[in-house]
Amino acid sequence: MGLSFVLRGRLVPRGAMHRPAQVDHITALPSRQTSQMAPEVYSIILGNFCTSKQGLSSFSLVCKSWLSLCRDYLFAEVNYHADFARLLASSTHAALTIGPHIRKVTLKGPVLDHEMKHRILDSILCLPGLTALHVERFGWDSTISLPSESPSFQRLFILNLRSTNFPSFAALAEFLDLFSALQELSLDDVSWEALGCLSAEKEFTEGTTLKPSSLKKLRSMFCHNRILLNWLSYGVVSDGAVMEGDAKNRRSFPHLVSLSLPDILPGEADILGVFLAILGESLETVEVGILVHNFDTRNHDPFMKCLHLTHNINLKAITINQITLFQFPSLITQNGATFSPHELLVTTSPYAWIQSFISTSHRESLQTIAFHIWLSAEEQLDGIPWPILSNALANIGMREIHFHISGVGRDMDLVKAWFTKRLTAIDPTKTTIEFQFSG
């Protein structure tokens, strides 16, 4: 017998399919039943097609109840531009049928017209359902005035700013202050022309109580971290060390579990140490990278004492970034003198802070540590005090150690051997060492 098909539970021979057959009419469920089905059921069904614009467009024609649900997926994420802003502004129908369904907006510049900048931002911030905003290559204008009230101020949870310039840091601070429920903040290559001053109602005064932050994740890259951390910690706009009197009132971060500052300058170590202490028990993952510019600065005891994790008792993962071993000249020297290997390990390595930093973590909670390393030859690894670092990792009792390697060739097994022979204190039966290679 050939291929068969199932019709009402009976097997039908292939040849029979060419003959007229009696097929019972399939009756749809009555509307009194389908109308009582929870919208969540339809949403689950349509969610399986959330990446298919064509499929969702077809489903939106099925019935009126499906139309609104399909729009939730069709317009959940939009790329905002001048024409789209004009559409929502000029069409009441578009504003009512598209605007409420937008959850995430991506705005990519440049936008040269000053008036259009204001219109686009005003249009975005007035979206009633906006929860995530990504802004890239956008030049903030001093003439931009934002709406005083907007539903998005209480509903925006995720904000990513990349390659964005503000007229002053105060303008950036007041923009961030609009979003009282913000949970994730990422600043990548965000700059400002001047410090500026906060408006009178935002300005920090003695006795002012700073509202606890709602942030859960914070990432800052290619930014002036001292200014940012001063404002986050104390509510002040300053590029210097905050005086003890001003430091009495610190903002709390009861929900912040993830901190990423991959390019800290040596001179910013003190404010980073203060911020880590402020985060305290809430912090679970931290990524830190210190830019190597001056060997002397990096090996002063005060520098290393600033960076510690003693208050972060629930920390589970550490990532160390900016271990760039392309140093010229390759030998570490000071005042024209070449140091012995022992002196190198004890006093002159630009990465001596790493073992000091991780040694202050709590072994009861810490599970993984990762290193991002750039190198091209084995001898460049000699710039790291491996015996001290290996002992520190063994004493902590690390479960997993990850090395993210960039800059080497394709002989990965050889490179792995470079590292494993330097980690002599690590017991491979207790600690998993993994490698990941990139160009």
Side-chain angles (χ1 to χ4, degrees):
M1 182 179 292
L3 180 63
S4 301
F5 296 85
V6 178
L7 291 178
R8 294 183 58 82
R10 292 176 295 177
L11 289 177
V12 181
R14 168 179 274 184
M17 294 298 295
H18 298 285
R19 300 192 298 268
Q22 183 70 31
V23 179
D24 293 345
H25 177 69
I26 299 176
T27 304
L29 289 173
S31 60
R32 64 177 181 273
Q33 293 184 20
T34 56
S35 62
Q36 295 175 3
M37 291 183 66
E40 290 81 5
V41 176
Y42 293 136
S43 184
I44 292 173
I45 296 172
L46 297 174
N48 293 299
F49 302 90
C50 62
T51 59
S52 173
K53 298 293 184 181
Q54 183 178 357
L56 290 170
S57 298
S58 300
F59 290 138
S60 67
L61 303 175
V62 172
C63 62
K64 185 175 291 187
S65 61
W66 281 32
L67 176 59
S68 179
L69 292 172
C70 288
R71 284 173 175 165
D72 281 339
Y73 293 106
L74 285 168
F75 302 112
E77 299 184 18
V78 299
N79 292 320
Y80 231 81
H81 48 76
D83 291 340
F84 192 78
R86 291 191 191 98
L87 172 65
L88 294 184
S90 61
S91 172
T92 303
H93 177 74
L96 294 176
T97 58
I98 297 178
H101 300 278
I102 298 175
R103 301 288 180 267
K104 178 180 178 181
V105 166
T106 297
L107 170 61
K108 292 186 178 182
V111 179
L112 302 180
D113 184 81
H114 298 303
E115 184 178 354
M116 183 51 64
K117 285 183 182 181
H118 172 75
R119 288 183 180 179
I120 291 176
L121 285 173
D122 187 70
S123 177
I124 291 174
L125 295 178
C126 288
L127 294 171
L130 184 66
T131 60
L133 174 61
H134 175 88
V135 181
E136 186 172 342
R137 298 193 303 274
F138 192 85
W140 215 262
D141 197 299
S142 58
T143 62
I144 292 177
S145 59
L146 300 174
S148 57
E149 293 292 336
S150 171
S152 65
F153 292 170
Q154 287 77 43
R155 297 178 182 174
L156 191 77
F157 300 139
I158 302 173
L159 177 61
N160 298 323
L161 301 179
R162 182 178 183 184
S163 301
T164 301
N165 178 263
F166 287 79
S168 67
F169 178 79
L172 169 61
E174 294 191 349
F175 175 64
L176 297 178
D177 255 344
L178 293 175
F179 310 110
S180 58
L182 194 63
Q183 297 180 6
E184 298 182 21
L185 174 62
S186 176
L187 305 177
D188 184 351
D189 189 25
V190 176
S191 59
W192 42 87
E193 302 300 324
L195 281 176
C197 297
L198 297 174
S199 58
E201 65 272 15
K202 299 286 186 180
E203 190 174 1
F204 173 85
T205 57
E206 187 174 355
T208 302
T209 301
L210 294 175
K211 182 181 177 181
S213 172
S214 59
L215 283 177
K216 293 183 178 180
K217 295 182 179 181
L218 172 64
R219 177 176 176 82
S220 174
M221 187 173 183
F222 301 125
C223 298
H224 196 311
N225 293 300
R226 176 177 292 280
I227 297 175
L228 175 65
L229 294 181
N230 274 340
W231 174 71
L232 286 172
S233 302
Y234 307 115
V236 299
V237 176
S238 171
D239 59 357
V242 176
M243 302 303 292
E244 186 63 28
D246 297 328
K248 292 181 180 179
N249 187 22
R250 296 174 177 174
R251 193 192 314 269
S252 63
F253 294 82
H255 311 291
L256 202 151
V257 298
S258 176
L259 175 66
S260 177
L261 299 170
D263 55 359
I264 289 286
L265 294 173
E268 297 171 332
D270 58 334
I271 184 61
L272 172 58
V274 169
F275 194 65
L276 288 171
I278 292 175
L279 298 184
E281 299 179 4
S282 66
L283 190 63
E284 295 182 4
T285 64
V286 62
E287 178 183 13
V288 175
I290 309 295
L291 296 173
V292 178
H293 292 298
N294 186 305
F295 296 129
D296 297 340
T297 301
R298 312 189 63 72
N299 289 284
H300 284 167
D301 286 342
F303 169 81
M304 290 193 285
K305 288 179 180 179
C306 288
L307 296 174
H308 60 85
L309 300 165
T310 53
H311 298 282
N312 312 115
I313 62 175
N314 294 316
L315 191 65
K316 296 180 175 61
I318 300 174
T319 299
I320 304 297
N321 218 314
Q322 300 296 341
I323 306 178
T324 305
L325 302 180
F326 295 111
Q327 300 297 328
F328 300 97
S330 58
L331 290 178
I332 298 176
T333 61
Q334 187 178 27
N335 299 326
T338 301
F339 287 82
S340 68
H342 175 73
E343 292 173 320
L344 171 65
L345 296 175
V346 175
T347 61
T348 64
S349 171
Y351 302 105
W353 69 273
I354 297 177
Q355 64 84 19
S356 174
F357 181 63
I358 65 176
S359 295
T360 61
S361 61
H362 294 259
R363 60 178 299 169
E364 294 82 5
S365 59
L366 194 61
Q367 299 174 5
T368 64
I369 185 166
F371 300 91
H372 289 258
I373 301 179
W374 286 259
L375 78 160
S376 61
E378 181 182 8
E379 58 267 21
Q380 293 170 351
L381 289 173
D382 295 335
I384 298 176
W386 288 103
I388 301 175
L389 179 59
S390 179
N391 287 329
L393 293 171
N395 291 335
I396 297 172
M398 291 305 308
R399 301 178 188 177
E400 297 180 9
I401 302 175
H402 300 268
F403 289 99
H404 301 269
I405 313 298
S406 301
V408 292
R410 296 181 176 274
D411 194 345
M412 298 179 182
D413 290 335
L414 176 63
V415 177
K416 290 178 183 179
W418 296 351
F419 285 84
T420 53
K421 73 180 182 182
R422 287 170 167 81
L423 297 171
T424 54
I426 303 298
D427 185 349
T429 64
K430 298 179 179 180
T431 302
T432 301
I433 303 177
E434 296 184 353
F435 295 85
Q436 181 178 343
F437 294 85
S438 59

